[in-house]
Amino acid sequence: MSLLLRTGSARSSCAFLVCRNHGRKHGFATTASSARVYNKRKSAADAHHAAFFARKDETPRQIEMGQGRDMKKTYNIFRNVMLGRYDLAMSTWRSWAAKQNEYKGFGINTRLDFDREVKLFRVSLEKACDIASEKNMVSKGNNPLFWGLRNAFIESDMPGLTDQLTYGFQNFLMRTRFPKNIIATHKQIADFRFPHEWFPATRALQRTIYLHVGPTNSGKTYNALKALENAKSGIYSGPLRLLAHEVYSRFLAKGKNCALITGEEQRIPEDDDNYFRSCTVEMTPLNLLVDVAVIDEIQMIGDAERGWAWTQAFLGVQAKEVHLCGEERIVDLIQSLCALIGDKCVVTRYKRLNPLETMEKSIGSLKNLEKGDAVVTFSRLSIHTLKKQIEDATGRRCAMIYGSLPPETRAQQASLFNDPNSDYDFLVASDAIGMGLNLEIRRVVFEQTHKRSKSGYRQLSTSEIKQIGGRAGRFRTARQAANPELELSQPIKAMQPGLVTALDDGNLQTIKAAFNREPEPIRTAGIQPPPSAIERFSSYFPPRTPFSYILSRLRDIAHTSPKFHLCQVKEMLSICDLIQPFPMSVYDRCVFLNAPVALRERAGSSVVQSFGKCISQMGGGDLVDIKAVDLELLDIDESNFKSNPGEYLQRLEALHKTITLYLWLSYRYTGVFRSQNLAFHVKSIVEQKIDDHLGKVSVSETQRRARLERIRRQAEKTKHKKKVLLGDNDSIDGPQHELRGEWNEEGHEEPLFNGPDELRPITQPESTSTRSHRTHHHETNTHVRAHA
């Protein structure tokens, strides 16, 4: 019997075929060929999966024995997949020919030495798998090698497994390099049990922590911002650039001097040192003494990727009063942390100011939308195509709100939707509205309940569905919050109940289930190793040791308390390897690791290397001199992409992310990346071109529904295949929270498109008769260079 084991999205580049009766331990096949084999053996796989659950008539002992057999089988299957991946890596992209300079940094100087180490480590992998399948020892304590590999696969699919195999082999090569006393020193450096001690100046203060918790539309953030407005100095820290900008605009409208500080943009008041600061949470100033600080969406402190930023802001901000706004499930953790650091904690609980209900039926068709409805989707391409479909179906206007929209445009769109006298009856928005934007929404309509992840599509969590759906039926509107005269002249009255529904019945069932349960409490706060610890740790390694290994090793031996967890590294290890050839300080490498890179985009790797080279040389960072920056795209007319409009959109998105990275670095290396004004100019041109192009995109209702159905099938297929491979015991020893790092950083609140499948309907050019004949002024690269 042969069983196909493929995990991840439909566009995965490889799959593994485990063939038991053909005498092969492991094999490799392309996606297309593996898919054909999968169809032939689907019934066998289904029978294997069904066997996991068909034991209702067995005794407890029989069930236990059966579960043991099943887990042994799944561990053996995982063994074949893992060993196949290892053999493939060591014979191709991790071979001696490909990586000999790296291996010499580990003391491996000949091909013969390399081959010997490869074989020895393979024996270690086999032994770890034997222990797992024969003795069911799979924890970090009794089988760390197997534990690390299996958890890497669970968290990040095949790419994660590959990274963990690479680290495991590197660790194996280092096994004799350090004596016991040095290893003890390493563990001492990696002791991260007391992150509150990283901020001694803050610990010298006696702070009062005001924790505002409650559901959406309960007034918690409003009251926290009132405390900030009444202070002489203060900071607002939010999860998204659009929220930072909303607070910034609110303070300016009320005559208060305020700065906007995000990773890619800083607006600092001139000729005045006393001003409020509205920031994205990563940019929260920790060396500034203020009266009041507001940290929004504090439940994000438990996020698997970005949680460290909330922990850093909470533990480090120097404010006499710290107001935290978030969900009820964060209370126990914050109270325990306050007891740990000696700060007074005052909890205020809020109730929703008007009711929220899920509807019994989905709306079924866009024709059934009503005035005040907001349709939520998860990419900018979907937003634009839905806007056009809604206007075609209803004959009425539709506004758009998403995080990457220019602030002025976003404010205009919100005003048009909020104005009861305008003809903009509907809104189509990204899920960024779930993070606190105030809009006069009567009913939230989910287009879909699955969202793209690293390895395919996942279902929205309970917390995400409640946050987004809770924006229905706003009690206090954006107009009232931003306009003090309007706020005083119009008394606030409770609106009608907010309603939540979906476009189709399948998604509505998911929404109802989410609103009928509570999300799990958050038990740990995220942290990252501080640069000082990384610098000290790296000093013990030979000069040519890959920085990615040093970082992985530090995280591997890190010791955290039960109240904290180490955040995931995302693309950090890949960034480490890309900038490894360039000599630079450990501090500079650490700065680059937190940059908003986009390795999956066109020429993403070459962009990172080009910028890394500039930092290494401390020069050469003029925008027009960096060849990896695709400025030539601005000279190419859109008509040249008639045969493949999707490629044009991909290149625009890649260029936009490149410019965003340049701006981010320009605030940290002012003397190197000196073309900041030019970069802002290019960014505005690219954004206009993207909007112009999206405005012409046309996708039919049939195509849209077909795509959503493909997403649902793909999500279920991925879940099923992982169940076959891992069995029921797919948990890990680390933190698992529902909110898993899907809220991206600083102005990138939603992707331009969710994978290649979303581009399929627009790969054919739109007919002339259906295009809107608008005249646009197309800036060119010639204009850009003249501007420089």
Side-chain angles (χ1 to χ4, degrees):
M1 179 187 74
S2 299
L3 176 64
L4 174 69
L5 298 171
R6 196 186 96 203
T7 62
S9 65
R11 63 191 183 111
S12 299
S13 61
C14 62
F16 285 88
L17 186 63
V18 180
C19 304
R20 295 190 173 179
N21 292 343
H22 297 283
R24 290 183 292 174
K25 279 187 171 182
H26 44 265
F28 176 79
T30 64
T31 299
S33 61
S34 297
R36 288 193 293 270
V37 176
Y38 175 76
N39 290 331
K40 295 178 181 179
R41 297 168 175 83
K42 184 176 184 300
S43 59
D46 290 342
H48 176 74
H49 181 259
F52 285 6
F53 308 101
R55 298 199 179 94
K56 61 182 180 179
D57 297 327
E58 298 182 23
T59 66
R61 176 61 177 165
Q62 289 173 320
I63 292 175
E64 182 179 352
M65 293 176 62
Q67 289 173 340
R69 288 192 300 270
D70 286 335
M71 290 316 301
K72 183 175 180 179
K73 183 183 296 184
T74 57
Y75 291 153
N76 284 334
I77 293 172
F78 178 70
R79 168 198 182 111
N80 289 337
V81 171
M82 181 263 294
L83 291 177
R85 190 67 167 179
Y86 174 73
D87 292 339
L88 177 67
M90 291 305 165
S91 63
T92 52
W93 66 87
R94 298 295 309 176
S95 66
W96 172 257
K99 296 288 184 179
Q100 58 179 297
N101 289 332
E102 176 186 308
Y103 292 131
K104 288 178 180 178
F106 290 93
I108 306 299
N109 296 312
T110 68
R111 172 67 180 267
L112 185 63
D113 292 337
F114 172 75
D115 290 340
R116 183 182 66 251
E117 295 295 327
V118 168
K119 292 177 182 177
L120 288 174
F121 184 59
R122 196 179 199 281
V123 172
S124 297
L125 292 173
E126 291 173 343
K127 288 181 178 178
C129 293
D130 290 340
I131 293 173
S133 60
E134 295 172 7
K135 300 181 180 180
N136 199 30
M137 296 170 64
V138 295
S139 71
K140 187 175 184 180
N142 57 30
N143 196 352
L145 181 57
F146 184 85
W147 177 89
L149 292 166
R150 184 168 174 271
N151 288 351
F153 178 77
I154 292 172
E155 289 291 336
S156 303
D157 213 89
M158 207 59 77
L161 177 61
T162 303
D163 289 341
Q164 190 65 22
L165 282 167
T166 298
Y167 167 70
F169 181 62
Q170 292 173 333
N171 215 28
F172 186 77
L173 298 179
M174 277 285 186
R175 64 191 182 279
T176 61
R177 298 297 293 270
F178 296 111
K180 289 184 178 180
N181 62 325
I182 298 298
I183 293 177
T185 303
H186 287 179
K187 291 183 178 180
Q188 189 177 31
I189 297 172
D191 187 350
F192 302 140
R193 289 176 296 169
F194 312 107
H196 54 283
E197 296 180 355
W198 301 344
F199 311 98
T202 308
R203 296 290 75 77
L205 299 175
Q206 183 59 54
R207 304 188 305 175
T208 301
I209 309 299
Y210 293 93
L211 181 55
H212 305 263
V213 295
T216 54
N217 196 17
S218 60
K220 55 185 185 294
T221 305
Y222 171 79
N223 284 291
L225 288 176
K226 276 294 184 184
L228 181 60
E229 289 173 14
N230 294 330
K232 294 181 179 179
S233 60
I235 300 167
Y236 169 82
S237 298
L240 303 174
R241 184 172 65 98
L242 62 90
L243 290 182
H245 194 280
E246 186 176 90
V247 173
Y248 166 76
S249 301
R250 170 177 175 160
F251 272 59
L252 291 183
K254 295 192 175 185
K256 296 182 179 294
N257 224 3
C258 187
L260 175 67
I261 305 174
T262 71
E264 64 186 60
E265 181 182 13
Q266 296 185 18
R267 302 183 187 179
I268 309 297
E270 297 180 358
D271 303 323
D272 190 356
D273 294 332
N274 185 22
Y275 49 83
F276 292 87
R277 290 159 175 83
S278 183
C279 320
T280 45
V281 69
E282 287 85 356
M283 300 298 294
T284 304
L286 304 179
N287 56 354
L288 180 69
L289 184 62
V290 296
D291 291 331
V292 173
V294 174
I295 304 176
D296 209 354
E297 305 295 347
I298 188 61
Q299 73 277 357
M300 289 283 289
I301 201 172
D303 187 74
E305 292 183 355
R306 287 184 72 196
W308 65 270
W310 275 262
T311 304
Q312 175 180 275
F314 168 60
L315 295 179
V317 68
Q318 296 182 36
K320 299 172 185 176
E321 293 183 9
V322 181
H323 292 257
L324 309 176
C325 307
E327 301 175 11
E328 175 69 31
R329 60 188 179 130
I330 196 62
V331 172
D332 289 345
L333 177 61
I334 295 298
Q335 285 180 325
S336 66
L337 291 178
C338 287
L340 180 68
I341 60 182
D343 288 342
K344 180 182 178 182
C345 184
V346 179
V347 180
T348 303
R349 289 179 167 85
Y350 297 79
K351 294 183 178 179
R352 188 176 168 89
L353 298 174
N354 66 333
L356 183 68
E357 302 171 2
T358 56
M359 297 182 64
E360 291 300 319
K361 294 182 179 180
S362 65
I363 68 170
S365 170
L366 295 175
K367 294 180 180 180
N368 297 326
L369 287 171
E370 299 174 359
K371 185 177 179 63
D373 284 353
V375 182
V376 176
T377 187
F378 301 125
S379 75
R380 289 159 64 190
L381 178 57
S382 292
I383 288 172
H384 280 264
T385 54
L386 265 174
K387 168 184 163 62
K388 179 172 284 189
Q389 290 173 9
I390 289 170
E391 291 180 340
D392 290 344
T394 64
R396 289 177 284 177
R397 305 293 296 276
C398 179
M400 295 185 299
I401 296 287
Y402 54 88
S404 301
L405 202 64
E408 296 75 17
T409 306
R410 187 170 59 240
Q412 179 193 43
Q413 292 287 303
S415 177
L416 290 170
F417 175 72
N418 288 335
D419 186 355
N421 298 320
S422 78
D423 58 348
Y424 283 78
D425 290 354
F426 314 114
L427 173 71
V428 58
S430 74
D431 53 336
I433 65 169
M435 281 292 181
L437 282 178
N438 291 319
L439 296 161
E440 298 180 27
I441 298 171
R442 174 182 172 271
R443 184 170 64 172
V444 169
V445 181
F446 284 82
E447 185 211 17
Q448 63 188 90
T449 55
H450 291 87
K451 192 173 183 180
R452 189 163 185 83
S453 66
K454 293 178 180 178
S455 57
Y457 287 90
R458 65 167 181 88
Q459 186 171 291
L460 292 176
S461 69
T462 298
S463 176
E464 288 171 317
I465 291 175
K466 284 188 169 183
Q467 273 196 318
I468 298 167
R471 299 303 159 186
R474 295 301 304 171
F475 186 82
R476 181 179 298 276
T477 69
R479 288 184 302 149
Q480 292 167 324
N483 189 328
E485 296 182 0
L486 188 63
E487 188 172 14
L488 293 173
S489 63
Q490 293 186 359
I492 308 230
K493 299 180 180 179
M495 298 169 61
Q496 294 296 318
L499 302 175
V500 186
T501 185
L503 276 178
D504 61 63
D505 291 334
N507 289 328
L508 183 58
Q509 299 309 312
T510 302
I511 295 167
K512 285 184 176 181
F515 275 91
N516 287 329
R517 62 173 177 261
E518 294 298 324
E520 290 290 322
I522 297 173
R523 298 183 176 88
T524 58
I527 58 173
Q528 269 189 352
S532 59
I534 299 176
E535 284 183 297
R536 186 181 171 199
F537 189 73
S538 63
S539 67
Y540 287 88
F541 290 80
R544 291 192 298 175
T545 305
F547 192 63
S548 59
Y549 170 73
I550 295 173
L551 190 64
S552 297
R553 179 61 180 167
L554 178 62
R555 296 173 58 84
D556 188 29
I557 65 174
H559 188 190
T560 61
S561 83
K563 298 184 191 308
F564 299 97
H565 68 267
L566 281 175
C567 287
Q568 296 173 5
V569 294
K570 301 199 309 183
E571 297 179 317
M572 286 183 179
L573 300 183
S574 298
I575 299 171
C576 286
D577 291 335
L578 288 171
I579 64 176
Q580 181 66 33
F582 308 115
M584 64 178 73
S585 68
V586 173
Y587 176 81
D588 287 334
R589 294 185 190 276
C590 290
V591 170
F592 214 112
L593 294 185
N594 289 311
V597 300
L599 296 183
R600 298 180 184 179
E601 297 297 334
R602 180 189 182 96
S605 297
S606 61
V607 166
V608 168
Q609 288 186 313
S610 296
F611 290 169
K613 184 178 181 180
C614 293
I615 294 173
S616 174
Q617 297 175 344
M618 283 296 157
D622 290 334
L623 189 62
V624 294
D625 294 335
I626 303 175
K627 294 182 180 179
V629 181
D630 189 17
L631 292 178
E632 288 72 19
L633 178 64
L634 302 180
D635 271 337
I636 303 175
D637 191 87
E638 183 181 349
S639 60
N640 293 332
F641 294 90
K642 282 185 177 181
S643 61
N644 189 3
E647 181 187 355
Y648 182 62
L649 201 57
Q650 286 175 313
R651 288 184 64 178
L652 284 172
E653 174 73 342
L655 178 56
H656 187 271
K657 290 186 176 181
T658 298
I659 298 300
T660 297
L661 175 59
Y662 186 94
L663 288 169
W664 191 92
L665 291 169
S666 72
Y667 285 109
R668 289 148 182 87
Y669 299 96
T670 308
V672 178
F673 302 99
R674 300 177 298 179
S675 307
Q676 190 181 81
N677 290 336
L678 174 61
F680 275 116
H681 180 62
V682 172
K683 183 170 177 282
S684 64
I685 293 174
V686 174
E687 288 171 347
Q688 184 63 51
K689 285 180 176 289
I690 289 174
D691 288 341
D692 290 347
H693 184 74
L694 291 177
K696 303 172 188 176
V697 169
S698 179
V699 177
S700 70
E701 175 75 2
T702 302
Q703 289 174 316
R704 184 188 65 80
R705 289 181 177 273
R707 176 179 167 270
L708 295 182
E709 183 58 34
R710 286 198 304 271
I711 289 175
R712 275 194 289 267
R713 289 199 306 267
Q714 185 177 332
E716 288 301 315
K717 187 179 293 185
T718 300
K719 183 178 179 181
H720 171 79
K721 289 173 182 175
K722 190 161 285 190
K723 175 73 74 174
V724 171
L725 180 59
L726 299 174
D728 294 314
N729 185 21
D730 63 350
S731 63
I732 63 175
D733 293 348
Q736 286 210 94
H737 304 306
E738 283 195 300
L739 204 55
R740 304 184 63 82
E742 298 300 328
W743 299 95
N744 300 323
E745 298 181 24
E746 301 182 6
H748 304 284
E749 293 81 9
E750 59 286 306
L752 181 55
F753 47 84
N754 280 319
D757 63 322
E758 193 169 6
L759 293 175
R760 289 177 193 168
I762 66 169
T763 53
Q764 297 300 321
E766 194 175 9
S767 63
T768 306
S769 60
T770 58
R771 290 178 184 170
S772 58
H773 298 280
R774 293 176 295 173
T775 303
H776 301 290
H777 179 66
H778 293 286
E779 302 283 350
T780 65
N781 196 25
T782 305
H783 292 134
V784 171
R785 297 184 188 275
H787 184 84

